[in-house]
Amino acid sequence: MRLLLVEDERALRTVLAERLKKEGYSVDACDNGDDAAAYLQGAPYDLAVMDIMLPGRDGLSVLRETRAAGRDTPVLLLTARDSIEDRVRGLDAGADDYLVKPFAFDELVARVRVLTRRKFNSSTNLLTAADLTLDCASRTVTRGGKKIALSAKEYALLSYLLHNRDIVLTREQIEDHVWNYDYEGGSNVIDVYIRLLRKKIDDPFPRKLIHTLRGQGYVLREDPD
Ligand code: CA
């Protein structure tokens, strides 16, 4: 999942970005409204966490522009004051949720999970295919009841494949959602990570879940055809 974080308080931005990366999100961060609008236009984010009070344009203005452009990226607003008026303005501008500062990081992470779930029409934290299960809350992966240890990137890739179960994904789609702007790897990085992931979740098992479609991309599904 690729996430945009917009927060002008540097210490908070740094801590939040680290925490969200640790949760398996691919994070781009910026500190003002103009950059936020450009980022939101430039990449298909799965979610944005955005402070309202920003230097220059505020978060509400960025949000309104994003919605006016027809983008439905879920947006969680951060607000310094908890007044009903602020809440109404945020929701009217098209926010999906909001959190009042100061907040507990655990709560932010939980709400981010809910919004991600909603985006993919899922009502639980469990993503499954055959005997493979990924638990977004505890960040654990099991297959056939056996726990499988994955690196952060492998986990992010598997999570994206499972959220899009049965849907063929191009390499470009995978790159856009699992990697962020910091990434400047070679063009075959997707294939490399698919191979690493297969080694752990598919190779030891007779039933394969990740399938390659020549000239198209990859799909995670139970049915090989
Ligand atoms: Ca601020």
Side-chain angles (χ1 to χ4, degrees), residues 6-9 51-55 78 80 101:
V6 190
E7 170 59 65
D8 57 315
E9 285 170 52
D51 190 22
I52 291 183
M53 296 294 286
L54 295 166
L78 304 178
K101 291 179 179 177

Side-chain angles (χ1 to χ4, degrees), residues 2-6 26-30 39 45 179-182:
R2 187 164 176 185
L3 189 150
L4 178 66
L5 173 65
V6 190
S26 171
V27 180
D28 289 312
C30 64
Y39 272 101
Y45 287 97
W179 275 265
N180 63 5
Y181 280 124
D182 295 340

Side-chain angles (χ1 to χ4, degrees), residues 40-59:
L40 284 165
Q41 242 175 46
Y45 287 97
D46 297 297
L47 191 92
V49 174
M50 182 156 62
D51 190 22
I52 291 183
M53 296 294 286
L54 295 166
R57 299 178 61 181
D58 72 6

